[in-house]
Amino acid sequence: MRDPAIQAFRADVKQFCEKNLPRDIRDKVLAGQHLAKSDYVRWQKILFDKGWIVGHWPRAYGGQDWTPLQRAIFDDETSKAGAPWLTPFGVCYAGPVIYTFGSAQQKERYLPGIRSTDTWWCQGYSEPGAGSDLANIKTRAVRDGDQYVVSGQKTWTTMAQWADMMFALVRTSNDGKPQNGISFLLIDMNSPGVTVRPIISIDKCHHLNEVFLDDVRVPVENLVGVEGRGWTYAKFLLNNERLLGAEVGKSTRLLHQLRQTMADIREGGRPLTDDPHWRRRLGELRARLLALEAVCNEYLAAAEAGSTPGLEVSALKIMGSELIQGITGAMVDALAIKGLVYQTEGLEPGWQAPLVGVPGAPGMIREHLHDRATTIYGGANEIQRNILAKAVLGL
């Protein structure tokens, strides 16, 4: 990856973040503190003004026609810089599905709001009893004239409490294979019959929700593509989601934080960075990061040559999610040497009371707890291993 143009692009992204990422937002991210919706929106509007919020989209729809490699570099460098998670539900998921499979009316109506972050989206996939097994969804959409009447429940719906729109998989038929009766529907979250209830996760934070749909009326014009073809559009979207699961930039930033934490914690009169056990553990994590980067580079080289995503996305998802868990697990083990206390008050920006233990501990513990889900969302790693086994071994 020594192409001068690519190196210049990487330097451009890095410099842009140094100059334009608001310091208060960066400080919250690096400390693992709570971000408000306004923090995400402020950063994404800065990217919008630069023309980078949807850089990976085609120019015809307001993007920059970035190559897969440019997109990966952008994701890596913004994450390393401490930028907030680029909330993907509109930019990376709904938007590409709409401009690839949607009608001209849908493109005109929804794409501008996604680009500008004026419309906030959430993902209505998982249900009770239908997580990684999405073909088992039960939420029904029954045609009634020029509307669908939607009833059911979605769960683990990230940021639904802030959402204006949901893209959802709904069952429009029970005929044939389960996948054949699934459709892709765009639902206004302000519609009568939509109820959002919070789920407080293991990190004691609110970013997940249940969404109940009770006879919600959705215009037929909000159906994306063809009725019954939603499974095709869902697979297209999930390939994007699993590729993002590699998170090389985030792992790089967390590994640097782990190294600094080890330097700050002393045991037996010396920092953990001088302890052979901890040096070996850090080295093993570094080796795994290098291996992940190598697999990503192979994938990106193939994508640059015109290859479509295949089994690589499953491998990247497994490697990336388990590496993040390895790094944050090491963080917690290191913190535990001085006593492990999860002071959730320390996650609130501006909190000034004394912290117990190492500075930054609340954010590191929160990261560890939150990242227990990385091997579950986007298709559980067990499912990804089954995909690989079936394809490679014929099982």
Side-chain angles (χ1 to χ4, degrees):
M1 302 297 178
R2 296 297 180 184
D3 183 337
I6 290 298
Q7 295 302 314
F9 179 73
R10 184 181 293 277
D12 195 16
V13 176
K14 183 176 181 179
Q15 184 180 55
F16 178 81
C17 291
E18 289 173 352
K19 291 184 176 180
N20 296 280
L21 174 59
R23 179 160 296 277
D24 63 314
I25 295 178
R26 175 182 177 274
D27 289 347
K28 290 180 188 179
V29 172
L30 296 181
Q33 293 180 324
H34 294 304
L35 294 177
K37 180 180 180 181
S38 58
D39 293 322
Y40 291 102
V41 171
R42 180 155 50 115
W43 170 237
Q44 291 180 190
K45 283 190 174 293
I46 290 171
L47 293 175
F48 171 70
D49 291 339
K50 176 66 174 176
W52 282 358
I53 183 68
V54 292
H56 59 287
W57 287 18
R59 289 189 184 277
Y61 302 115
Q64 299 286 337
D65 274 328
W66 281 350
T67 66
L69 179 55
Q70 286 177 301
R71 179 183 180 184
I73 289 171
F74 171 80
D75 290 341
D76 286 353
E77 291 301 325
T78 52
S79 184
K80 290 176 186 176
W85 185 45
L86 185 61
T87 49
F89 308 109
V91 169
C92 299
Y93 302 161
V97 169
I98 290 170
Y99 69 63
T100 303
F101 303 105
S103 66
Q105 181 186 27
Q106 289 168 348
K107 296 172 189 178
E108 181 179 357
R109 179 178 179 183
Y110 294 115
L111 295 184
I114 292 174
R115 290 195 301 266
S116 65
T117 318
D118 288 330
T119 304
W120 197 272
W121 289 74
C122 65
Q123 179 177 5
Y125 272 28
S126 294
E127 300 180 5
S132 294
D133 182 17
L134 278 176
N136 197 39
I137 65 165
K138 298 293 192 293
T139 296
R140 294 281 302 169
V142 178
R143 182 76 178 260
D144 181 22
D146 60 356
Q147 295 180 325
Y148 286 103
V149 180
V150 182
S151 297
Q153 178 186 354
K154 299 294 179 178
T155 193
W156 313 121
T157 313
T158 303
M159 298 182 178
Q161 74 273 24
W162 295 339
D164 305 296
M165 295 291 300
M166 171 194 282
F167 58 91
L169 295 182
V170 297
R171 183 160 298 286
T172 48
S173 173
N174 287 316
D175 296 335
K177 293 172 58 178
Q179 293 89 337
N180 294 342
I182 293 174
S183 298
F184 197 101
L185 204 59
L186 310 179
I187 301 175
D188 187 332
M189 293 292 284
N190 294 311
S191 301
V194 177
T195 303
V196 178
R197 295 181 185 172
I199 298 174
I200 305 303
S201 51
I202 192 173
D203 55 2
K204 298 186 178 180
C205 299
H206 175 206
H207 42 82
L208 300 170
N209 302 271
E210 295 177 288
V211 179
F212 296 88
L213 304 162
D214 298 308
D215 294 333
V216 178
R217 291 192 167 269
V218 180
V220 169
E221 64 191 32
N222 283 22
L223 173 73
V224 174
V226 179
E227 185 177 292
R229 294 290 302 277
W231 189 251
T232 299
Y233 315 142
K235 289 193 296 182
F236 170 88
L237 184 151
L238 286 171
N239 273 339
N240 286 335
E241 183 175 9
R242 289 165 187 163
L243 175 59
L244 294 175
E247 295 196 282
V248 173
K250 180 178 179 179
S251 288
T252 301
R253 174 166 54 82
L254 290 176
L255 194 62
H256 175 77
Q257 187 177 17
L258 171 61
R259 186 190 299 274
Q260 185 60 55
T261 300
M262 288 168 52
D264 293 340
I265 296 176
R266 305 181 72 85
E267 187 176 34
R270 62 179 182 175
L272 296 185
T273 46
D274 289 347
D275 184 294
H277 163 76
W278 282 98
R279 289 174 65 86
R280 181 172 60 253
R281 189 166 180 180
L282 186 64
E284 290 171 351
L285 291 168
R286 174 60 178 160
R288 289 171 62 184
L289 176 58
L290 291 173
L292 177 62
E293 289 178 328
V295 174
C296 281
N297 287 339
E298 287 186 9
Y299 165 80
L300 292 168
E304 293 280 301
S307 175
T308 55
L311 296 177
E312 299 94 341
V313 294
S314 291
L316 288 171
K317 200 275 180 175
I318 293 169
M319 294 175 67
S321 59
E322 293 183 355
L323 174 59
I324 284 178
Q325 288 185 351
I327 296 171
T328 59
M331 282 182 178
V332 168
D333 289 346
L335 293 172
I337 291 172
K338 294 299 181 181
L340 200 60
V341 178
Y342 186 29
Q343 290 178 274
T344 54
E345 308 95 319
L347 301 175
E348 299 299 331
W351 192 68
Q352 299 295 327
L355 286 171
V356 177
V358 178
M364 285 184 273
I365 296 171
R366 178 196 180 192
E367 188 71 59
H368 167 70
L369 293 173
H370 176 270
D371 289 340
R372 302 315 299 162
T374 59
T375 50
I376 300 172
Y377 60 62
N381 283 17
E382 291 82 358
I383 300 295
Q384 303 312 309
R385 287 186 167 88
N386 288 343
I387 292 172
L388 293 170
K390 183 177 180 180
V392 176
L393 303 176
L395 299 178

